[in-house]
Amino acid sequence: MSASLALTHLVPLAKEVDENKVTPGVLGFIVFAVMALAVWGLMKSMSKHMQKVDFKEAPDTEAAKKADSTAPQG
């Protein structure tokens, strides 16, 4: 409900701009700032989740045996 109330106050600010000029205006800046904050939050969350991932792999003994048996001797 508060988002629609905020938009009703911001739309008249966007209408005050001269109709002959093409500018993003205050509303464009606010939308860009909200998107930037969302991306920052997503990157921070992704970084936190990536730190929890364990990248250490157990050695695959079957693949090592196959590689040893097919390797040329000599």
Side-chain angles (χ1 to χ4, degrees):
M1 183 99 137
S2 63
S4 63
L5 181 63
L7 284 178
T8 58
H9 290 293
L10 292 176
V11 171
L13 290 176
K15 291 290 184 186
E16 292 176 5
V17 178
D18 184 15
E19 296 293 331
N20 296 327
K21 292 182 182 178
V22 179
T23 60
V26 176
L27 185 60
F29 174 76
I30 291 171
V31 168
F32 181 78
V34 168
M35 288 174 57
L37 285 173
V39 168
W40 177 78
L42 287 171
M43 292 295 289
K44 189 170 180 171
S45 174
M46 183 182 68
S47 175
K48 187 186 300 184
H49 285 284
M50 290 300 286
Q51 288 177 356
K52 294 180 183 179
V53 175
D54 184 17
F55 287 108
K56 295 178 184 174
E57 294 183 15
D60 190 6
T61 57
E62 291 180 21
K65 288 179 184 176
K66 287 180 184 177
D68 288 341
S69 65
T70 59
Q73 300 294 327

